[in-house]
Amino acid sequence: MATGTRKTTTRAGVTPTERLVRRVSLWAAVVALVAFALAGGEYGTLELLDRTRRREALELRVQELQAVVDSLETELALVQKDPVTLERIAREEYGMVRGDKELLYRFADDEPVPADTGGG
């Protein structure tokens, strides 16, 4: 009997080692493709998800700012057309009074009174 090594082949003429290498290569290619789809390039899946979240946050901010603009436009219309509102702002913001028979009192916060130094 000869003691030589015998190469086993399948019906397609491929050895089991070659089949294993092909399978590992195929799975490596699939994993690389999935990784590239998730994170690859400027428009990868993760980048698109991040941009979607950022867009939603910006749209919410736009809605908040639009509400502020609407309230300011309402206040502007009142100031321009309603004399009572204009007088209220003049009194509260600028300390103005109507006529010369009205006094305006302002009470300051409690501030420490400087102690008398007893000099005279």
Side-chain angles (χ1 to χ4, degrees):
M1 277 199 182
T3 57
T5 56
R6 203 166 120 202
K7 189 174 181 182
T8 58
T9 59
T10 60
R11 54 187 135 123
V14 179
T15 66
T17 306
E18 289 173 339
R19 266 180 61 207
L20 180 63
V21 168
R22 285 183 184 175
R23 279 188 180 172
V24 168
S25 298
L26 177 66
W27 280 107
V30 168
V31 168
L33 183 64
V34 168
F36 182 75
L38 287 177
E42 184 178 355
Y43 300 109
T45 304
L46 298 176
E47 179 71 22
L48 291 175
L49 290 174
D50 184 51
R51 288 182 185 216
T52 301
R53 282 191 295 267
R54 186 166 186 257
R55 178 180 174 211
E56 290 170 356
L58 289 174
E59 287 175 350
L60 181 62
R61 181 71 176 138
V62 166
Q63 290 175 356
E64 291 170 355
L65 291 174
Q66 188 61 47
V68 170
V69 167
D70 292 342
S71 67
L72 289 174
E73 286 176 346
T74 302
E75 187 175 345
L76 175 65
L78 283 174
V79 168
Q80 289 176 340
K81 296 178 182 175
D82 185 21
V84 175
T85 303
L86 186 60
E87 183 177 342
R88 179 186 54 82
I89 291 173
R91 287 173 180 271
E92 292 175 0
E93 298 291 325
Y94 302 107
M96 300 175 84
V97 294
R98 175 188 263 179
D100 53 353
K101 295 190 180 202
E102 188 174 332
L103 294 176
L104 178 66
Y105 291 98
R106 291 189 180 228
F107 297 97
D109 293 336
D110 292 338
E111 294 180 15
V113 177
D116 191 8
T117 57

